[in-house]
Amino acid sequence: MTDVTRMNLIQAINNGLDTAMAADEKVICLGEDIGKFGGVFRATSNLQEKYGRPRCFNTPLTEQGIAGFAIGLAAQGSVAVAEIQFADYIFPAFDQIVNEAAKFRYRSGDEFNCGGLTIRAPYGGGIDGALYHSQSPEAYFCHTPGLKVVIPSNAYQAKGLLLAAIRDPDPVIFFEPKAIYRASVGDVPNSDYELELGVAEIVQVGTDITLLGWGAQMIQIGKAAELAAAEGISCEVIDLRTLLPWDRDTVVESVKKTGRLLVSHEAPLTGGFAGEIAASIQERCFLSLEAPITRVTGIDTPFPLIQEKQYLPDHLKIYEAIKSSLAY
Amino acid sequence: MTDVTRMNLIQAINNGLDTAMAADEKVICLGEDIGKFGGVFRATSNLQEKYGRPRCFNTPLTEQGIAGFAIGLAAQGSVAVAEIQFADYIFPAFDQIVNEAAKFRYRSGDEFNCGGLTIRAPYGGGIDGALYHSQSPEAYFCHTPGLKVVIPSNAYQAKGLLLAAIRDPDPVIFFEPKAIYRASVGDVPNSDYELELGVAEIVQVGTDITLLGWGAQMIQIGKAAELAAAEGISCEVIDLRTLLPWDRDTVVESVKKTGRLLVSHEAPLTGGFAGEIAASIQERCFLSLEAPITRVTGIDTPFPLIQEKQYLPDHLKIYEAIKSSLAY
Amino acid sequence: MTVKSPPTVAPVFDDGSTVQIPTLRILQADGTLISGAQTPELAKELAHKIYRDMVYTRILDERMVGAQRQGRLSFYLTCTGEEASVAGTVAAFKQDDMIMGQYREQVALRFRGFSTEQFMNQLFSNAKDLGKGRQMPVHYGSRDLHFMTIRSPLATQIPQAAGYAYGQKLAGNNACTLCYFGDGAASEGDFHAGLNMAAVLKSPVVFVARNNGYAISTLSSEQYAGNGIAARGLGYGIKTIRVDGNDILAVYAAAIAARNIAVQEQRPVLIETMSYRLGAHSTSDDPSGYRSAEEEDEWRQKDPIIRMKNWLINQTWWDESRDEDLHKNYRKEILEELKLAEKCPKPPLSDLITDVYQDTPAHLLEQFESLEKHVAKYPDSYKVHGENS
Amino acid sequence: MTVKSPPTVAPVFDDGSTVQIPTLRILQADGTLISGAQTPELAKELAHKIYRDMVYTRILDERMVGAQRQGRLSFYLTCTGEEASVAGTVAAFKQDDMIMGQYREQVALRFRGFSTEQFMNQLFSNAKDLGKGRQMPVHYGSRDLHFMTIRSPLATQIPQAAGYAYGQKLAGNNACTLCYFGDGAASEGDFHAGLNMAAVLKSPVVFVARNNGYAISTLSSEQYAGNGIAARGLGYGIKTIRVDGNDILAVYAAAIAARNIAVQEQRPVLIETMSYRLGAHSTSDDPSGYRSAEEEDEWRQKDPIIRMKNWLINQTWWDESRDEDLHKNYRKEILEELKLAEKCPKPPLSDLITDVYQDTPAHLLEQFESLEKHVAKYPDSYKVHGENS
Ligand SMILES: Cc1ncc(C[n+]2csc(CCOP(=O)(O)OP(=O)(O)O)c2C)c(N)n1
Ligand SMILES: Cc1ncc(C[n+]2csc(CCOP(=O)(O)OP(=O)(O)O)c2C)c(N)n1
Ligand SMILES: [Mg+2]
Ligand SMILES: [Mg+2]
């Protein structure tokens, strides 16, 4: 037996869930079609078979019910891992997440909490999914004190962050970049490991500009950094990994060094989380900034179908923005 | 008969609804307790009596139903004005608003639209309402292309903006600052008038710093500007009025002149709409800015009860932030 | 598919009006039993406790409405008229069954042992409030007493109760969940999600729908067009019963049976208690705008507390002089505790930021530090209201 | 309060299993009537039209699943097995009644007159798609045909249909709304909100719950524990009927009566059609992971199209050679239009930003301008896929 297995991102999720369920019998998975079928993306494959139906089951088709039920489970002392089939369908659960889960501990004066809650959902574009199978709703949750928001960008992170999320004492929204569920392949430890929440990863050290992103955008950012390198531009690349609370210190330090920041996400520009990052960083790095902080994001429309490629912030748009920033 | 009547903000809302219903029999008001009772804040007083129950009625207690029903009404060609009793209770309707109303026209290629929809809700703190009668959820909606978001700050605006919102061809979320429902009193034209959406109001011209806000915060900003004036600081005060789409040009012009910007809102800092404004303005006014853009907002907690005063961004906090900015 | 349904050739529509859902009644207004009715097993001590807690709650409610009028309290909300619906149900449950209420069930909390001091601490948001002064008055909660902290958003506790009870089932300790909500809340999507999930996933939860005829000003005829909330239980395949909510014996009998079903059969139960909100919706409300004094008077005749008192007296378990003493003592106790709680200091500023997360993150600590500095600069402007200076 | 409920002294629980909801059946598999059954009035031309549209839809579905397998299409979803549930209902409505569907009701759109070209334009997201190529395949819509554009989020159309129909009532033009949804969607909170609001506010809407036994992989026994969706209708006080969804005559008879009730009595109606999703959930799904071939075969014996054909032949309204011609012609037409639609240009880039608002706001125009410049700089990287270069 080796220590690592080569697997893709969705297999790493499945492996993370398996690891969590094996380690703690209080861990329960629930959601639409996640039982025998193993979920529409196969995240829960074989878990019902292995751990029994009471611990891994199909729910009726109601996201608000799934979230509410999972909050109740968590309040009772179980560790609830709920799947929302697509992040686009998390909105019926918005009240349960924002008014309930996020405020559960606070409003009770810590008499009660639902920290055992994790809500997983595939998110983002890239699968010809149009308006309702492509959205990136992370910013909605990042404006909600009491929640944590986590997004992995590769298989190794997926397992380690998921295990940390499941065991975190606060409710966590865990968005999975479905565009790279199969495309992102890497060595994943067979062991039970956690990656600390709230800590960004410096993927590449550089000196001219800081490129910041999360999820599937890291691939676009990586490609753009390569294009830039070919022109002699040295990019520092940071993968945020946890959006709430986000690792501001790491970003501040980087921007103080590079003097430039570009943030990229798929969600529409206005009100997206890049705005928060830009606002926060201009405050702390005002005197170091040599150019305005640049946002390369989706545009302010619903997510399209036929013009998905045009809509999405890709390596070329990031590359152009890097050059503009350097030329400022 | 005079041309104007002195009234408070909630009376102006009532008057605006009355005006809209009188002018167009397609206008329909619906919501919890809005019928005979006239709504918990009396926004719909006498409207059922005047226009009949079919056009002004109590709904069952379901915000997602109210929003969905109102969207259907609007799609049919009616002009639906739905009340959500408190903005804190708009979240069960989040899916209907964000996935449905906002995307209705786009997804159908303009075969259908629900532009006749307006959703009104009292929002904000100041009434000892704690977590669930105090929230300012505007940022959630401002991240949603397809919606318009409007917030008046006084009685005159309330009627004029509400009439414009009701008649606007796109769905509008209309948040009313309930803290000043009664406290804000002014002369309101008896006539049928509209204030253009998407246009900010320059409330006070100044040279040293731009203060930007909306809703009840305008009172705090006004007081802070006075304190600052006493120290010889000249503030330019802008009332945004429409948050989506927001009047960026007016703000840019002001900041290019003053070199400084402070944005204030009651909602928590992280992910609040001030972040979007700051990100956007630093991009366009980079070389004019003499200090970082400052945000004076609620802190990143649920809305508290006993420490409401401490939590809220008030004139003193704004005043201090003005001084810090000037001293930068 | 999975439904049993005989074939028919007649295209007949059914709107449910043929489905009879009777109302369980045992006790008459004068305290005697309806003919043919059976008293549930109810020991004298337990009957006394139920009665005392109902009286206590009535007095507490009267007193606090008064205190609110005097401006000593920002908000209050009574259980008045519905004491039997709540006391009769909670009395049938075990102390460690979880209660997830709406907000009008303070008698259940009293039954569990919440002290007058604890009520007052919450109502006055003082430093001793278990909820740390964060929520409006009447948002009680107690981990020790297995009473989940009340929240304002309606119906959210319903799917949560289904989940909580499912967890209890897996834990295998024969506990269950008791979940209250109103006729208005039952219109929320969360009601549907919660009851259906409980039915499908077989959660041991007893739902108590307090049908008091109103949701603030909204009549139940504007809330539903079917046969109350009970008719929906039938639709979910949930064992359902309707009871006279002003009849303590009927409520108790139904609740005992309901808990048995929930725990023995590991499935949900729905009880609909038919009653009336005798007071205003809350101290912010004035019912004269939407209902008549006559209607209120009619229901005052059916007062559940008087009815129970009459029964107790008929049983020779109670008498008027004991009743007077009880009232007097409770009034005194409540007034004394009220005064103490009013004077108790408010929670510290640091409570503003704790419990957002288990461990407060750096950005929030930073925000708090600058808030502390600011408040220190302007101490007079940030006195906590109600705080003695 | 507002419920009628006789008193009882017996604490008996009812889980609804005693409430009988029969299934309307008229036609047998061999095309003869069940004894005692009455044929609804159904003119020959209309019967032909219904049959043709059902056959058309079956062929369209087969062809497009094939096209998806060939990689010519990204996604498809069939109506297969449920054609009668949909065709039999839509046929009972007037052309300007609004239809608000879920996504598996393409035969209704065909019935209204949607052309093969229009289907293909949507499926291939080309420039002639009424929806401007913005939604996934099968998200059809047509203002002219009063068929509301399909959206992916489930059940959202249910409260919208209640509102739409309420608007029709106020307009006073005797039109109504026909709203389809699945057994899975009926678990959403929006279902509860929509049906209850329609009942209370008396909206002239006919809800058709297509109970096909599955929601993707989820069996209806994991979806609800009660007597199907119809049992809930009774709970809301909605006139409700259950029909054999594979029996075109039963469905049509129920739908004619339902529309009459909705329009004459101005109130909602619920029809539950019991049927089976004969194919995969969509081209992204493989049902072999969750159900048996035997089960599918069993249902294939009950094919609604064959049953109707047998009836038509019994009526001497149809014969096998006409049937063959029909199939052949449709196959040819569909294939031809498919090829044309494939070749049709895609919508222009500017369609990316129109219709977000009625008038595109400045900030979006600005974003678009810079996008246009960018795309112009890298034309090869932004070819619209499927676009001929
Ligand atoms: C989601 C939500 N919407 C609206 C409200 C405002 N509200 C508070 S109580 C109430 C009426 C509740 O009626 P019911 O459920 O019958 O309970 P009752 O007060 O009669 O006990 C309303 C509308 C709320 N608290 N939560
Ligand atoms: C709100 C929402 N949640 C989940 C989904 C994903 N989804 C699409 S179809 C489907 C099953 C629907 O089943 P049913 O309503 O029975 O319709 P059927 O496909 O059987 O016709 C699911 C879960 C969705 N589209 N919308
Ligand atoms: Mg009530
Ligand atoms: Mg189905």
Side-chain angles (χ1 to χ4, degrees):
Chain A
M1 222 184 100
T2 59
D3 293 343
V4 299
T5 305
R6 210 160 167 73
M7 55 178 89
N8 63 31
L9 205 158
I10 190 70
Q11 289 165 332
I13 294 289
N14 181 252
N15 187 257
L17 292 171
D18 193 349
T19 305
M21 293 184 86
D24 181 359
E25 65 168 22
K26 284 193 178 312
V27 177
I28 294 171
C29 292
L30 67 158
E32 294 158 13
D33 300 298
I34 71 140
K36 188 175 170 197
F37 188 54
V40 296
F41 288 105
R42 331 296 304 149
T44 54
S45 272
N46 296 317
L47 297 180
Q48 182 176 90
E49 211 181 322
K50 218 160 154 180
Y51 300 103
R53 197 158 155 169
R55 289 184 59 202
C56 178
F57 54 89
N58 286 349
T59 62
L61 209 169
T62 166
E63 292 76 13
Q64 65 194 107
I66 292 168
F69 194 95
I71 290 169
L73 267 175
Q76 177 272 337
S78 298
V79 179
V81 186
E83 173 174 307
I84 299 293
Q85 203 161 75
F86 287 86
D88 311 70
Y89 304 135
I90 203 167
F91 299 129
F94 204 71
D95 186 56
Q96 282 286 352
I97 296 172
V98 163
N99 260 344
E100 292 291 320
K103 301 172 171 63
F104 212 92
R105 190 193 295 275
Y106 191 79
R107 71 184 179 198
S108 75
D110 204 22
E111 288 285 289
F112 299 97
N113 75 79
C114 64
L117 173 71
T118 301
I119 297 181
R120 302 175 34 246
Y123 91 105
I127 64 157
D128 287 333
L131 287 82
Y132 297 116
H133 297 84
S134 307
Q135 291 177 70
S136 295
E138 66 271 15
Y140 294 118
F141 299 96
C142 292
H143 185 43
T144 309
L147 299 179
K148 294 185 177 171
V149 179
V150 176
I151 304 184
S153 69
N154 59 48
Y156 171 74
Q157 284 185 13
K159 179 174 174 183
L161 290 172
L162 181 58
L163 282 166
I166 289 172
R167 293 155 181 175
D168 188 83
D170 299 304
V172 178
I173 312 297
F174 192 88
F175 287 122
E176 302 164 6
K178 62 177 177 293
I180 55 170
Y181 261 163
R182 291 190 172 77
S184 170
V185 177
D187 284 341
V188 174
N190 298 324
S191 63
D192 185 336
Y193 67 99
E194 297 177 20
L195 296 177
E196 194 182 344
L197 303 189
V199 180
E201 180 183 341
I202 301 177
V203 177
Q204 178 181 309
V205 175
T207 53
D208 296 334
I209 183 169
T210 303
L211 310 182
L212 178 65
W214 48 87
Q217 274 314 96
M218 294 317 300
I219 292 179
Q220 304 302 327
I221 289 175
K223 282 193 206 167
E226 269 177 41
L227 290 179
E231 307 229 348
I233 303 171
S234 160
C235 299
E236 178 137 315
V237 176
I238 301 181
D239 182 348
L240 202 50
R241 301 200 300 195
T242 299
L243 276 73
L244 189 67
W246 62 288
D247 186 353
R248 206 185 52 207
D249 290 351
T250 294
V251 182
V252 165
E253 211 172 302
S254 173
V255 174
K256 283 201 169 148
K257 180 178 72 177
T258 62
R260 289 182 166 82
L261 176 62
L262 179 156
V263 190
S264 177
H265 58 60
E266 292 185 17
L269 178 77
T270 299
F273 199 60
E276 174 59 36
I277 294 170
S280 199
I281 295 302
Q282 65 86 31
E283 203 182 325
R284 281 165 189 80
C285 303
F286 190 72
L287 298 174
S288 316
L289 280 171
E290 288 165 40
I293 298 166
T294 304
R295 295 183 284 169
V296 184
T297 70
I299 66 173
D300 285 333
T301 69
F303 202 101
L305 179 69
I306 204 72
Q307 286 113 351
E308 168 159 7
K309 224 191 276 177
Q310 286 79 358
Y311 171 90
L312 280 173
D314 62 5
H315 63 292
L316 293 174
K317 293 182 189 171
I318 296 169
Y319 170 59
E320 288 295 323
I322 292 170
K323 288 196 294 183
S324 298
S325 179
L326 268 292
Y328 189 83
Chain B
M1 220 184 104
T2 59
D3 294 345
V4 298
T5 303
R6 208 158 170 78
M7 54 178 89
N8 63 32
L9 206 157
I10 190 70
Q11 289 165 332
I13 294 289
N14 182 252
N15 187 258
L17 292 171
D18 193 349
T19 305
M21 293 183 87
D24 181 358
E25 64 168 22
K26 285 195 178 309
V27 176
I28 294 170
C29 291
L30 66 158
E32 294 158 14
D33 300 296
I34 71 139
K36 189 175 171 197
F37 188 55
V40 296
F41 289 105
R42 330 299 303 151
T44 53
S45 272
N46 297 316
L47 298 180
Q48 183 176 90
E49 212 181 320
K50 218 161 155 181
Y51 301 102
R53 197 158 155 169
R55 288 185 58 202
C56 178
F57 54 87
N58 286 347
T59 61
L61 209 170
T62 165
E63 291 77 14
Q64 64 193 108
I66 293 167
F69 195 96
I71 290 168
L73 267 175
Q76 178 271 336
S78 299
V79 179
V81 186
E83 173 175 307
I84 299 293
Q85 203 161 74
F86 287 86
D88 312 71
Y89 304 135
I90 203 167
F91 300 128
F94 204 72
D95 186 55
Q96 282 286 353
I97 296 171
V98 164
N99 261 344
E100 291 292 317
K103 301 172 172 65
F104 212 93
R105 191 193 294 274
Y106 191 79
R107 71 185 179 196
S108 75
D110 204 23
E111 288 285 289
F112 299 97
N113 75 80
C114 64
L117 173 71
T118 302
I119 297 182
R120 301 176 34 247
Y123 91 106
I127 64 157
D128 287 333
L131 287 82
Y132 297 116
H133 296 84
S134 307
Q135 291 177 70
S136 295
E138 66 272 15
Y140 294 119
F141 299 96
C142 292
H143 185 42
T144 309
L147 299 179
K148 293 185 178 170
V149 179
V150 177
I151 304 183
S153 69
N154 59 47
Y156 171 74
Q157 284 185 12
K159 179 175 174 183
L161 290 172
L162 180 58
L163 282 166
I166 290 172
R167 293 155 181 176
D168 189 83
D170 299 304
V172 178
I173 311 297
F174 192 87
F175 287 122
E176 302 165 5
K178 63 177 177 292
I180 56 171
Y181 261 163
R182 290 188 174 77
S184 170
V185 177
D187 284 343
V188 173
N190 299 323
S191 63
D192 185 334
Y193 67 98
E194 298 177 20
L195 295 177
E196 193 182 344
L197 303 189
V199 179
E201 182 184 342
I202 301 177
V203 178
Q204 176 182 310
V205 175
T207 52
D208 296 333
I209 183 169
T210 303
L211 310 183
L212 179 65
W214 50 86
Q217 274 313 96
M218 293 317 299
I219 292 180
Q220 304 302 327
I221 289 174
K223 283 194 206 168
E226 269 178 43
L227 290 178
E231 306 228 349
I233 303 171
S234 161
C235 300
E236 178 137 316
V237 175
I238 301 181
D239 183 348
L240 202 50
R241 301 199 302 195
T242 299
L243 276 74
L244 190 67
W246 64 287
D247 186 353
R248 206 185 53 208
D249 290 351
T250 295
V251 182
V252 166
E253 212 173 301
S254 174
V255 174
K256 284 202 168 145
K257 179 178 70 177
T258 63
R260 288 182 167 83
L261 176 63
L262 179 155
V263 190
S264 177
H265 57 60
E266 291 185 18
L269 178 78
T270 300
F273 199 60
E276 174 59 35
I277 295 170
S280 199
I281 295 302
Q282 64 86 31
E283 202 182 327
R284 281 165 190 81
C285 303
F286 190 72
L287 297 175
S288 316
L289 281 171
E290 288 164 39
I293 298 166
T294 305
R295 295 183 286 169
V296 184
T297 71
I299 64 173
D300 286 333
T301 69
F303 202 100
L305 179 69
I306 204 70
Q307 285 113 351
E308 166 158 9
K309 225 190 277 176
Q310 286 78 359
Y311 171 89
L312 280 173
D314 62 5
H315 63 293
L316 293 175
K317 292 182 188 171
I318 297 169
Y319 171 59
E320 287 296 323
I322 293 170
K323 289 197 293 183
S324 297
S325 179
L326 268 291
Y328 191 83
Chain C
M1 293 295 300
T2 57
V3 303
K4 271 187 223 142
S5 179
T8 178
V9 295
V12 177
F13 290 77
D14 185 349
D15 68 359
S17 50
T18 57
V19 181
Q20 288 265 353
I21 305 179
T23 303
L24 181 65
R25 293 209 153 126
I26 294 181
L27 205 53
Q28 309 189 84
D30 64 0
T32 63
L33 299 204
I34 290 176
S35 85
Q38 274 210 319
T39 330
E41 243 181 78
L42 176 56
K44 187 170 164 182
E45 300 81 64
L46 182 54
H48 275 157
K49 174 166 171 48
I50 290 173
Y51 181 69
R52 280 198 313 266
D53 289 344
M54 284 169 48
V55 168
Y56 174 89
T57 303
R58 182 67 63 90
I59 294 172
L60 176 73
D61 285 351
E62 283 167 6
R63 196 61 219 97
M64 299 321 294
V65 167
Q68 195 278 337
R69 287 215 186 98
Q70 296 168 333
R72 296 161 86 172
L73 200 64
S74 63
F75 177 86
Y76 192 75
L77 184 152
T78 76
C79 182
T80 303
E82 295 179 74
E83 293 90 346
S85 297
V86 179
T89 39
V90 71
F93 285 72
K94 302 277 176 275
Q95 183 76 10
D96 58 355
D97 291 335
M98 175 55 68
I99 298 177
M100 298 175 79
Q102 180 156 309
Y103 48 59
R104 207 181 287 291
E105 299 90 6
Q106 47 267 46
V107 66
L109 194 51
R110 175 68 182 180
F111 186 90
R112 284 281 168 98
F114 211 58
S115 69
T116 305
E117 187 194 344
Q118 287 179 307
F119 275 110
M120 293 302 152
N121 291 338
Q122 200 288 326
L123 292 170
F124 286 98
S125 317
N126 68 29
K128 291 200 247 157
D129 168 25
L130 292 174
K132 301 185 186 168
R134 291 184 184 137
Q135 288 202 84
M136 287 174 67
V138 316
H139 290 63
Y140 313 108
S142 164
R143 182 174 37 209
D144 284 351
L145 301 179
H146 300 279
F147 188 98
M148 182 68 72
T149 302
I150 299 298
R151 77 280 281 162
S152 320
L154 288 166
T156 50
Q157 82 279 18
I158 305 176
Q160 290 171 17
Y164 199 103
Y166 186 90
Q168 290 172 313
K169 173 165 84 171
L170 291 204
N173 51 13
N174 279 338
C176 67
T177 298
L178 171 59
C179 175
Y180 293 98
F181 52 84
D183 48 288
S187 293
E188 291 281 6
D190 274 355
F191 162 89
H192 179 58
L195 268 79
N196 190 43
M197 289 184 82
V200 173
L201 297 165
K202 300 203 163 299
S203 298
V205 49
V206 175
F207 295 111
V208 178
R210 290 187 295 92
N211 191 336
N212 62 11
Y214 286 90
I216 308 186
S217 76
T218 303
L219 272 163
S220 53
S221 59
E222 294 173 309
Q223 198 67 248
Y224 53 76
N227 192 343
I229 312 303
R232 298 184 193 155
L234 273 52
Y236 297 120
I238 291 179
K239 286 200 172 179
T240 299
I241 193 168
R242 173 177 285 149
V243 301
D244 178 346
N246 289 14
D247 174 344
I248 188 71
L249 297 184
V251 174
Y252 183 70
I256 284 283
R259 187 184 188 279
N260 271 339
I261 294 168
V263 172
Q264 305 301 321
E265 304 179 22
Q266 292 286 307
R267 60 183 290 187
V269 183
L270 171 63
I271 302 175
E272 183 180 22
T273 62
M274 307 310 286
S275 184
Y276 189 80
R277 195 195 75 208
L278 267 181
H281 168 70
S282 73
T283 50
S284 311
D285 176 47
D286 173 12
S288 71
Y290 53 83
R291 70 186 193 188
S292 68
E294 293 76 57
E295 181 185 295
E296 292 180 6
D297 283 343
E298 222 172 88
W299 277 92
R300 239 180 288 275
Q301 306 309 315
K302 306 183 192 166
D303 190 314
I305 297 185
I306 297 174
R307 203 186 296 189
M308 185 174 192
K309 184 174 105 179
N310 290 341
W311 177 71
L312 287 172
I313 290 174
N314 286 351
Q315 299 277 98
T316 71
W317 288 0
W318 196 250
D319 59 48
E320 290 289 358
S321 90
R322 283 175 76 175
D323 209 58
E324 263 169 48
D325 285 350
L326 190 71
H327 278 73
K328 214 177 344 174
N329 292 340
Y330 281 153
R331 282 205 192 93
K332 188 157 164 283
E333 178 188 333
I334 289 169
L335 198 59
E336 282 170 10
E337 292 291 348
L338 188 160
K339 284 181 191 156
L340 288 174
E342 259 179 340
K343 292 201 192 96
C344 176
K346 300 299 173 189
L349 185 57
S350 57
D351 277 359
L352 178 55
I353 60 152
T354 52
D355 306 330
V356 181
Y357 298 92
Q358 182 181 281
D359 304 309
T360 305
H363 69 281
L364 189 48
L365 287 171
E366 190 184 297
Q367 290 173 18
F368 185 66
E369 267 169 39
S370 73
L371 175 60
E372 263 188 321
K373 273 193 209 129
H374 178 79
V375 168
K377 189 160 182 183
Y378 296 98
D380 291 345
S381 302
Y382 295 97
K383 278 214 193 83
V384 166
H385 79 144
E387 185 75 277
N388 298 322
S389 54
Chain D
M1 292 297 299
T2 58
V3 302
K4 273 188 223 138
S5 179
T8 178
V9 295
V12 177
F13 290 77
D14 185 349
D15 67 0
S17 51
T18 57
V19 181
Q20 288 264 356
I21 306 177
T23 303
L24 180 66
R25 294 208 153 128
I26 295 182
L27 205 52
Q28 309 189 85
D30 64 1
T32 63
L33 299 204
I34 289 176
S35 84
Q38 275 209 319
T39 330
E41 243 181 80
L42 177 57
K44 188 171 164 181
E45 300 81 64
L46 182 54
H48 275 156
K49 173 164 172 51
I50 291 173
Y51 181 69
R52 281 198 312 268
D53 289 345
M54 285 170 48
V55 168
Y56 174 88
T57 303
R58 182 66 63 89
I59 294 172
L60 177 72
D61 286 351
E62 283 168 6
R63 196 63 219 92
M64 299 321 294
V65 166
Q68 195 278 339
R69 287 216 187 97
Q70 296 168 333
R72 297 161 85 172
L73 200 63
S74 63
F75 178 85
Y76 193 75
L77 183 151
T78 76
C79 182
T80 303
E82 294 178 76
E83 293 90 346
S85 297
V86 179
T89 40
V90 71
F93 285 73
K94 302 278 175 278
Q95 184 76 8
D96 59 356
D97 292 334
M98 176 54 69
I99 299 177
M100 298 175 80
Q102 179 156 308
Y103 49 57
R104 207 181 287 290
E105 299 91 5
Q106 48 266 46
V107 66
L109 193 51
R110 174 67 182 182
F111 187 89
R112 283 280 169 98
F114 211 58
S115 69
T116 304
E117 188 194 344
Q118 287 178 310
F119 276 110
M120 293 302 152
N121 291 339
Q122 199 288 328
L123 293 170
F124 287 97
S125 317
N126 67 30
K128 291 199 245 157
D129 169 24
L130 292 174
K132 302 186 185 165
R134 290 185 184 137
Q135 288 203 85
M136 287 174 68
V138 317
H139 290 64
Y140 314 108
S142 164
R143 181 174 38 209
D144 284 351
L145 301 179
H146 301 278
F147 188 97
M148 182 68 73
T149 302
I150 298 298
R151 75 281 283 166
S152 321
L154 288 166
T156 50
Q157 82 278 19
I158 304 175
Q160 290 172 17
Y164 199 101
Y166 186 90
Q168 291 172 312
K169 173 165 83 168
L170 291 204
N173 51 12
N174 279 338
C176 66
T177 298
L178 171 59
C179 175
Y180 293 97
F181 52 84
D183 48 288
S187 293
E188 291 280 6
D190 274 354
F191 162 88
H192 179 58
L195 269 78
N196 189 44
M197 289 185 83
V200 172
L201 297 164
K202 300 203 163 299
S203 299
V205 49
V206 175
F207 296 111
V208 177
R210 291 187 294 93
N211 190 336
N212 62 10
Y214 286 90
I216 309 186
S217 76
T218 303
L219 271 163
S220 53
S221 59
E222 295 173 308
Q223 199 67 247
Y224 54 77
N227 192 342
I229 312 303
R232 298 185 193 155
L234 273 52
Y236 297 120
I238 291 179
K239 286 199 174 179
T240 299
I241 193 168
R242 172 177 287 151
V243 301
D244 178 346
N246 289 13
D247 173 345
I248 188 71
L249 298 183
V251 173
Y252 182 70
I256 284 282
R259 188 185 187 277
N260 272 338
I261 295 169
V263 172
Q264 305 301 320
E265 304 179 22
Q266 292 286 306
R267 59 183 291 187
V269 183
L270 171 63
I271 302 176
E272 184 180 21
T273 61
M274 307 310 286
S275 184
Y276 189 81
R277 194 195 76 209
L278 267 181
H281 168 71
S282 74
T283 50
S284 311
D285 177 47
D286 173 12
S288 71
Y290 53 84
R291 69 186 193 187
S292 68
E294 292 76 56
E295 181 186 295
E296 293 180 7
D297 284 342
E298 222 172 88
W299 277 92
R300 239 180 288 274
Q301 305 311 314
K302 306 183 194 166
D303 191 313
I305 297 185
I306 297 173
R307 202 186 298 188
M308 184 174 193
K309 183 173 106 181
N310 290 342
W311 177 71
L312 287 172
I313 291 173
N314 286 351
Q315 299 277 98
T316 71
W317 287 1
W318 197 251
D319 59 49
E320 290 290 359
S321 90
R322 283 175 77 176
D323 209 59
E324 262 168 48
D325 285 351
L326 189 73
H327 278 72
K328 213 174 348 171
N329 293 338
Y330 282 153
R331 280 205 192 95
K332 187 157 165 283
E333 178 188 333
I334 288 168
L335 199 60
E336 281 170 10
E337 292 292 346
L338 187 159
K339 285 182 192 154
L340 288 174
E342 259 179 341
K343 291 201 193 97
C344 176
K346 299 298 173 188
L349 186 57
S350 58
D351 276 358
L352 178 56
I353 61 152
T354 53
D355 305 329
V356 181
Y357 298 92
Q358 183 181 281
D359 304 310
T360 304
H363 69 281
L364 189 48
L365 289 171
E366 191 184 297
Q367 291 173 19
F368 185 66
E369 266 168 39
S370 75
L371 175 61
E372 263 188 320
K373 274 193 209 128
H374 179 79
V375 169
K377 189 161 183 182
Y378 296 98
D380 292 344
S381 302
Y382 296 97
K383 279 216 193 80
V384 166
H385 80 144
E387 184 76 277
N388 299 320
S389 52

